[in-house]
């Protein structure tokens, strides 16, 4: 634990300027060369006992204004307040989580809106995390708003500068975590970048390597923005799942490698599902979290507290906001009625 905390201290990459000219350091971990240097197989291969982490997804600053207020996504005070509430909650957890994973869509503005707006949203989000306990590092997953539907070289460069690699792996206490870029998976034939094929080959090679481990990782956990599916692995294609031919290929890969759980966002709605591979006697849990930003379902904004045990993984969604989708709709209707 001491070694891990010291590595996190050395990895701090953002010194944020506070009021009065003072500075506070925040532990944002940026993956490079497809790994997190502080969380490698060499220093985290062994199981050291149960631990916790927090999964947060879709801060998407500006989406509430765009969705419920008829705006252009140029204000994001409510999203920031939700994140502040989350930071307070995380700081009071006992035990403290070993890391926080932000599961994509850190910003709402697509690349077509220009870098100035996107950078302001990214920086405002990071600035809120100045109050997070500095022993808790933050890792990132790329989302469709962060990269654009069909990312180009400029969008990828912007993302790498602000958040690091878009796909990578890391270890913690004998557990292997794998982060994927789901835009590359969902639209492989419409993105003319070498990295699309590179991610596919990288993942295949990584999972082949996993097969040779003795003992194997205690768990293999994936973080990806867009879910593989909603209710059933054989459901029809739609904007919030993966195309069937890709979905089934990934599920077979995951089952062969004994993947335990896949954490996702994107939908702004909480749901859970599972897929059982009877031939291999394997079950993969799909956990999709509602947004920390704008809710689109019955649950208000929240975070997911995850407990990793040797025998399994358990998790709990904790609310940090006070309004769900229906509340926002009623509030917006009242505002419109008042203007008549």
């Amino acid at each position: 634990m001491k070694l891990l905390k010291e590595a996190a201290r050395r990895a701090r990459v953002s010194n944020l300027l506070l009021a009065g000219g003072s500075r506070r350091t925040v532990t944002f971990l940026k993956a490079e060369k497809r790994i997190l240097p502080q969380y490698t197989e060499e220093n985290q291969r062994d199981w050291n006992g149960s631990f916790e982490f927090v999964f947060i997804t879709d801060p998407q600053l500006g989406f509430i204004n765009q969705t419920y207020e008829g705006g252009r996504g140029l204000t994001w005070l409510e999203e920031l307040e939700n994140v502040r509430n989350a930071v307070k909650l995380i700081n009071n957890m006992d035990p403290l989580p070993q890391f926080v994973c932000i599961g994509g869509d850190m910003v709402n503005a697509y690349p077509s809106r220009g870098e100035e707006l996107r950078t302001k949203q990214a920086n405002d989000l990071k600035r809120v995390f100045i109050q997070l306990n500095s022993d808790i590092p933050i890792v990132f997953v790329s989302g469709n708003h962060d990269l654009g539907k069909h990312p180009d070289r400029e969008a990828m460069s912007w993302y790498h500068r602000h958040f690091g690699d878009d796909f990578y792996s890391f270890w913690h206490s004998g557990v292997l975590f794998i982060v994927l870029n789901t835009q590359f998976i969902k639209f492989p034939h419409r993105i003319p970048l070498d990295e699309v094929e590179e991610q596919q080959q990288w993942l295949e090679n990584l999972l082949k390597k996993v097969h040779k481990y003795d003992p194997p990782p205690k768990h293999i956990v994936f973080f990806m923005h867009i879910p593989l599916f909603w209710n059933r692995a054989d459901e029809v294609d739609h904007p919030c799942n993966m195309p069937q031919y890709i979905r089934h290929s990934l599920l077979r890969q995951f089952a062969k490698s004994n993947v335990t759980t896949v954490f996702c966002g994107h939908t702004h709605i909480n749901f859970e599902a599972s897929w059982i591979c009877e031939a291999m006697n394997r079950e993969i849990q799909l956990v999709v979290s509602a947004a920390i930003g704008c809710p689109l379902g019955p649950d208000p904004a929240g975070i997911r507290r995850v407990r990793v045990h040797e025998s399994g993984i358990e998790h709990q969604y904790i609310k940090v906001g006070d309004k769900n989708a229906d509340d926002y709709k009623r509030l917006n209707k009242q505002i419109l009625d008042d203007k008549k």
Side-chain angles (χ1 to χ4, degrees):
M1 181 62 68
K2 260 172 137 182
L3 177 64
L4 190 59
K5 288 185 177 180
E6 182 58 33
R9 288 189 184 97
R10 291 197 302 269
R12 291 168 185 161
V13 296
S14 295
N15 289 302
L16 299 181
L17 188 63
L18 305 180
S22 62
R23 289 181 178 272
R24 178 167 177 140
T25 304
V26 186
T27 312
F28 297 121
L29 297 187
K30 289 184 178 181
E32 297 178 356
K33 298 180 180 179
R34 310 306 175 198
I35 63 169
L36 289 176
Q38 306 78 20
Y39 292 80
T40 64
E41 180 182 352
E42 287 72 23
N43 61 34
Q44 288 292 317
R45 181 71 175 83
D46 296 331
W47 174 255
N48 291 315
S50 299
F51 64 93
E52 298 189 6
F53 68 87
V54 170
F55 183 71
I56 296 174
T57 189
D58 298 276
Q60 208 165 333
L61 305 189
F63 196 44
I64 290 176
N65 173 255
Q66 178 182 310
T67 303
Y68 295 120
E69 298 171 359
R72 298 182 61 241
L74 299 178
T75 63
W76 42 83
L77 294 178
E78 288 197 59
E79 289 95 331
L80 292 180
E81 185 60 25
N82 290 340
V83 177
R84 287 190 190 94
N85 291 338
V87 167
K88 293 175 186 175
L89 179 62
I90 294 168
N91 283 340
N92 287 318
M93 287 182 175
D94 185 15
L96 285 175
Q98 294 300 298
F99 62 88
V100 170
C101 177
I102 303 181
D105 282 359
M106 280 67 76
V107 304
N108 181 57
Y110 279 110
S112 59
R113 300 287 299 275
E115 285 198 5
E116 183 178 356
L117 177 59
R118 287 161 55 74
T119 299
K120 180 170 175 51
Q121 291 178 347
N123 287 343
D124 281 1
L125 177 65
K126 289 180 178 180
R127 199 165 283 114
V128 173
F129 280 103
I130 60 176
Q131 298 303 326
L132 185 68
N133 186 314
S134 59
D135 284 332
I136 306 173
I138 302 168
V139 301
F140 298 100
V141 180
S142 62
N144 55 304
H145 283 257
D146 305 317
L147 300 176
K149 186 175 182 180
H150 306 134
D152 58 18
R153 181 61 59 206
E154 186 177 358
M156 295 303 301
S157 178
W158 180 89
Y159 183 86
H160 293 158
R161 289 196 308 272
H162 289 275
F163 301 110
D165 282 357
D166 49 301
F167 61 93
Y168 58 95
S169 67
F170 64 98
W171 287 79
H172 181 74
S173 188
V175 177
L176 175 59
F177 295 91
I178 301 175
V179 176
L180 295 182
N181 177 339
T182 48
Q183 296 310 110
F184 287 175
I185 299 171
K186 191 170 178 65
F187 304 106
H189 305 301
R190 302 188 67 178
I191 303 174
L193 297 175
D194 293 340
E195 289 94 327
V196 175
E197 186 174 341
E198 181 190 340
Q199 177 179 247
Q200 181 178 345
Q201 191 60 54
W202 170 84
L203 179 61
E204 289 178 6
N205 292 340
L206 180 60
L207 293 181
K208 283 179 184 177
K209 185 179 178 181
V210 167
H211 299 160
K212 300 176 183 179
Y213 283 131
D214 185 22
K218 287 298 179 184
H219 303 284
I220 301 176
V221 175
F222 272 79
F223 295 128
M224 48 200 297
H225 185 63
I226 301 176
L228 291 166
F229 59 91
W230 279 51
N231 298 309
R232 297 168 52 92
D234 59 354
E235 68 193 18
V236 299
D237 296 353
H238 57 74
C240 289
N241 67 12
M242 291 294 169
Q244 281 198 30
Y245 76 98
I246 295 173
R247 184 191 318 158
H248 291 295
S249 174
L250 279 174
L251 284 169
R252 285 192 296 270
Q253 278 186 291
F254 289 2
K256 188 176 180 181
S257 302
N258 203 17
V259 171
T260 308
T261 312
V262 181
F263 289 95
C264 307
H266 186 58
T267 66
H268 295 237
I269 297 172
N270 280 317
F271 65 89
E272 298 176 42
S274 64
W275 179 74
I276 298 174
C277 178
E278 295 182 355
M280 301 182 202
N281 192 29
R282 302 276 171 76
E283 181 176 5
I284 299 170
Q285 296 294 325
L286 180 69
V287 181
V288 183
S289 262
I292 187 69
C294 177
L296 296 179
D299 292 311
I303 66 175
R304 191 166 294 276
R305 185 177 188 175
V306 184
R307 298 176 179 88
V308 181
H309 305 291
E310 189 170 11
S311 59
I313 296 175
E314 58 184 9
H315 51 88
Q316 174 191 14
Y317 186 77
I318 305 173
K319 301 172 184 177
V320 299
D322 59 2
K323 294 189 287 292
N324 63 17
D326 287 340
D327 295 327
Y328 275 108
K329 290 173 184 176
R330 282 193 293 269
L331 182 61
N332 186 50
K333 182 178 183 304
Q334 181 181 337
I335 292 172
L336 293 175
D337 288 344
D338 291 343
K339 290 181 178 179
K340 291 179 180 178

